[in-house]
């Protein structure tokens, strides 16, 4: 606990954790020489700022150190963009149900094209739409497996920054995908990158 408190206080103060952990471990330790209590650890991590006394205050970042506030806001914005990338296609890729007995050239055009209408994922090819929607979550499964080892190998910051930018590239590429198979692969890669970023 004292180790975590020292690292949090050092980061909030903008210093290096290893230089301040020892001081917290010695100076802030109770008289008996035992570890810091939960209350003392929270107070130390707040870096001199008033600790929120109610859960609602914590939700609105009241009483947090400015560095922690900026970090949580930036992370929240990134996660919001990731969530939009994850779930918007589930609503955009709505089924396309023309009269299958008619020739494809007579099928109606939609005002706002979807993946199903653009690539004719209907009738005998309806399974491809379900396949397309499942590829993202298959990528999430893969990301959960590979994300942890990548973080252990390269570090959280390295993985987090690069997965955010790589996800931006993948989303732009998905919008320009020439066919359903390329789009499926890009959705698979995007799901993998998304969960790897969460792991970091």
């Amino acid at each position: 606990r004292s180790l975590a408190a020292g690292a949090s206080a050092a980061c909030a103060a903008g210093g290096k954790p290893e230089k301040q952990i020892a001081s917290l471990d010695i100076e802030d330790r109770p008289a008996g020489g035992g570890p810091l209590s939960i209350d003392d650890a929270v107070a130390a991590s707040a870096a001199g700022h008033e600790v929120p006394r109610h859960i609602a205050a914590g939700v609105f970042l009241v009483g947090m150190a400015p560095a922690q506030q900026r970090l949580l806001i930036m992370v929240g914005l990134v996660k919001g963009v990731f969530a939009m990338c994850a779930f918007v296609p589930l609503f955009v890729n709505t089924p396309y149900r023309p009269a299958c007995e008619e020739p494809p050239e007579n099928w109606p055009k939609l005002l706002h094209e979807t993946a199903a209408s653009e690539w004719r994922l209907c009738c005998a090819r309806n399974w491809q739409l379900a396949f397309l929607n499942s590829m993202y979550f298959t990528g999430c499964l893969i990301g959960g497996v590979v994300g942890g080892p990548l973080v252990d190998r390269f570090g959280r910051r390295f993985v987090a920054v690069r997965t955010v930018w790589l996800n931006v590239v993948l989303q732009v590429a998905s919008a320009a995908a020439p066919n359903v198979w390329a789009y499926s692969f890009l959705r698979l890669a995007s799901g993998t990158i998304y969960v790897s970023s969460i792991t970091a």
Side-chain angles (χ1 to χ4, degrees), residues 64-190:
M64 298 185 67
Q68 293 174 332
Q69 290 177 341
R70 291 193 296 270
L71 176 64
L72 286 177
I73 290 173
M74 287 189 293
V75 170
L77 290 174
V78 169
K79 297 305 182 185
V81 172
F82 275 177
M84 182 179 67
C85 295
F87 294 106
V88 164
L90 296 181
F91 299 98
V92 173
N93 297 345
T94 52
Y96 177 58
R97 298 188 178 91
C100 295
E101 62 275 7
E102 295 185 8
E105 56 270 16
N106 293 338
W107 290 352
K109 290 186 176 293
L110 300 181
L111 180 60
H112 300 288
E113 289 280 6
T114 65
S117 63
E118 180 179 353
W119 292 317
R120 306 300 192 191
L121 306 182
C122 54
C123 300
R125 300 180 63 195
N126 195 47
W127 65 272
Q128 291 184 350
L129 182 61
F131 172 80
L132 179 63
N133 288 330
S134 66
M135 289 302 286
Y136 184 86
F137 296 101
T138 303
C140 291
L141 178 63
I142 298 172
V145 175
V146 303
L150 285 175
V151 172
D152 292 339
R153 169 82 173 159
F154 300 105
R156 296 175 60 190
R157 181 185 180 89
F158 181 92
V159 174
V161 171
R162 281 155 182 79
T163 51
V164 167
W165 285 109
L166 185 55
N167 192 64
V168 171
V169 173
L170 289 172
Q171 297 303 324
V172 173
S174 297
N179 55 58
V180 64
W181 302 113
Y183 185 64
S184 298
F185 172 78
L186 291 168
R187 293 295 293 165
L188 176 72
S190 182

